[in-house]
Amino acid sequence: MGSAASRAIEALWGRLAKVSEFSFTASNGPGSATDWRGHARGSVLAERDDGHLLFREQALFTSSEGRKLDMQNTYRWTRLPGSLRLEHLRRSEPVLLFELEPVTGQGFREVQPHQCGPDTYTAELLLRRNQLELIWQIHGPRKNERLHYHYW
């Protein structure tokens, strides 16, 4: 792995460990049969656990119709030799979402799309001056969704 890639991974890992807040917007595009639209803002408890970094997220999600729902997620970040792995911990079981590799000094993209049944997940992560942006796209027979996270 080149030194530029190593520096990008190290920079992202250091920034992830300092995250304490997040927001996200969920939207769907043409052809989507889901109603996953709205926004949330909440807190992140970032904690190290056996070489991983856990993100325990809590927020209030407001749907596009104004319904408010409590939201909780736990994500696990793992630093690998040439990338970072992101998993969603569902009932403590890890579900691989993405392995992200640096494509520039400030940008990461999935190594390969994640398949969940008929749905394809892709992602890009951008290191901004005061925040991290993680943008997921989900495409499938019934889905055309975009999740746009901001972490700071």
Side-chain angles (χ1 to χ4, degrees):
M1 177 174 66
S3 61
S6 295
R7 284 192 303 273
I9 290 170
E10 191 63 34
L12 176 54
W13 189 254
R15 297 270 303 270
L16 287 169
K18 296 175 184 172
V19 166
S20 63
E21 295 181 66
F22 80 103
S23 68
F24 86 92
T25 302
S27 57
N28 53 22
S32 182
T34 69
D35 188 27
W36 187 230
R37 294 186 320 270
H39 64 276
R41 183 168 179 150
S43 63
V44 176
L45 175 61
E47 55 188 45
R48 294 190 188 275
D49 176 44
D50 293 332
H52 305 286
L53 187 61
L54 297 180
F55 270 23
R56 299 187 191 280
E57 299 180 357
Q58 291 190 324
L60 184 64
F61 178 80
T62 304
S63 73
S64 58
E65 290 83 34
R67 289 189 314 267
K68 297 192 183 298
L69 304 162
D70 284 326
M71 182 183 106
Q72 294 184 41
N73 282 304
T74 301
Y75 294 104
R76 180 169 71 185
W77 294 90
T78 305
R79 186 167 44 182
L80 303 172
S83 62
L84 291 174
R85 178 183 299 140
L86 177 59
E87 297 165 300
H88 186 208
L89 299 184
R90 290 198 177 178
R91 295 174 286 282
S92 297
E93 292 296 317
V95 175
L96 175 65
L97 294 173
F98 310 106
E99 192 171 313
L100 298 161
E101 66 182 352
V103 292
T104 69
Q106 304 296 311
F108 290 71
R109 189 163 286 133
E110 82 279 348
V111 172
Q112 64 184 22
H114 168 70
Q115 287 298 133
C116 182
D119 302 324
T120 302
Y121 288 62
T122 58
E124 63 179 313
L125 188 147
L126 304 167
L127 282 76
R128 301 284 190 206
R129 179 186 211 90
N130 297 315
Q131 65 181 313
L132 302 171
E133 278 186 80
L134 178 61
I135 304 163
W136 308 15
Q137 301 278 346
I138 307 164
H139 294 282
R142 297 177 32 83
K143 293 183 179 177
N144 181 6
E145 300 173 356
R146 183 174 195 255
L147 301 178
H148 192 158
Y149 278 81
H150 297 266
Y151 290 102
W152 62 96

